[in-house]
Amino acid sequence: MSEDTRTKLLAGALTTLTEQGIAKTSARAIAAAAGVNQALVFYHFGTVDELLAAACRHAAEQRVAHHRERLNEVRTLSGLLQAARELHATERDAGQVAVLGQLLAGAQTQPRLAAATAAGLAMWTEEIEQVLARVLTGTPLAEFVDVAGLAKAASAAFVGLELYEGVDASGAEQALAALDQLAGLVAALEGLGPVAQRAVRSRLRRSATA
């Protein structure tokens, strides 16, 4: 019963964030969404902030696990972008983009929530880093790219695009199309013969040391 109540409260917190926003997310509102007594918020989590932090981690764990099989199928950069588009549509339709927006808003002033939101985003970043390491192996770019840094940049870019889409859907689509073009350039590099690839690597080395 105790674990069931905790699960209901975690789900209730996410529902409240989505439907009412961070400013109206209170113990009373969360308890109402969860269908439990308000006192149980404090019994199980201590504070509303702690509950929101736990809900953030819980949601990230669930969503990453849900999409892991799809990400494990990715073998090219263009494939990663296609998967990202699919994941974005799924997460948006499930209300997760709205939750992320509210968590990021609350994280600006609530340190506990900031740490939990960062931890949740880190779960996504770790998955993306594994995919990038796999798809870049053997390409002319592999030895010149900081994969961990690129994974963080990719996570930040897609978080921004998810939020940006809410105010300018066509602009977000244009940005995604530009990323598709970049993936096409990388694919073209992969298709070069050995001699041309050596020339590209040599040029990149000179640029890196300049």
Side-chain angles (χ1 to χ4, degrees):
M1 287 294 293
S2 178
E3 190 59 33
D4 182 57
T5 299
R6 285 179 60 87
T7 301
K8 287 181 178 178
L9 286 168
L10 292 170
L14 295 172
T15 297
T16 306
L17 278 172
T18 303
E19 296 180 354
Q20 300 189 41
I22 189 70
K24 295 183 179 180
T25 297
S26 63
R28 182 188 300 276
I30 292 171
V36 301
N37 188 288
Q38 179 179 337
L40 292 174
V41 170
F42 305 102
Y43 175 78
H44 286 284
F45 295 96
T47 67
V48 172
D49 280 0
E50 291 287 2
L51 169 53
L52 290 176
C56 174
R57 290 189 291 269
H58 176 71
E61 289 169 358
Q62 285 193 319
R63 302 315 297 172
V64 169
H66 179 75
H67 293 295
R68 184 169 288 128
E69 183 177 354
R70 175 69 180 91
L71 290 171
N72 285 341
E73 297 171 352
V74 174
R75 292 294 180 271
T76 64
L77 187 57
S78 59
L80 175 57
L81 288 170
Q82 179 58 41
R85 283 176 174 268
E86 295 170 11
L87 268 58
H88 167 68
T90 301
E91 294 300 282
R92 180 192 59 215
D93 294 344
Q96 296 302 313
V97 173
V99 169
L100 177 60
Q102 293 301 319
L103 288 170
L104 288 170
Q108 304 305 308
T109 57
Q110 301 175 47
R112 282 198 191 93
L113 199 52
T117 303
L121 291 173
M123 294 179 195
W124 284 106
T125 302
E126 288 167 7
E127 293 293 321
I128 294 170
E129 183 176 344
Q130 293 178 34
V131 178
L132 284 171
R134 182 168 65 246
V135 303
L136 290 175
T137 298
T139 73
L141 299 177
E143 64 183 279
F144 305 101
V145 173
D146 173 7
V147 175
L150 183 59
K152 289 182 175 63
S155 293
F158 276 99
V159 167
L161 284 171
E162 286 178 344
L163 300 177
Y164 185 57
E165 185 181 45
V167 296
D168 184 0
S170 63
E173 178 58 34
Q174 185 178 11
L176 286 169
L179 290 175
D180 285 338
Q181 291 173 344
L182 180 60
L185 290 174
V186 174
L189 285 174
E190 293 174 353
L192 294 175
V195 174
Q197 286 202 15
R198 283 197 296 272
V200 170
R201 288 190 176 94
S202 177
R203 180 59 182 268
L204 288 172
R205 289 191 189 98
R206 288 199 298 272
S207 297
T209 57

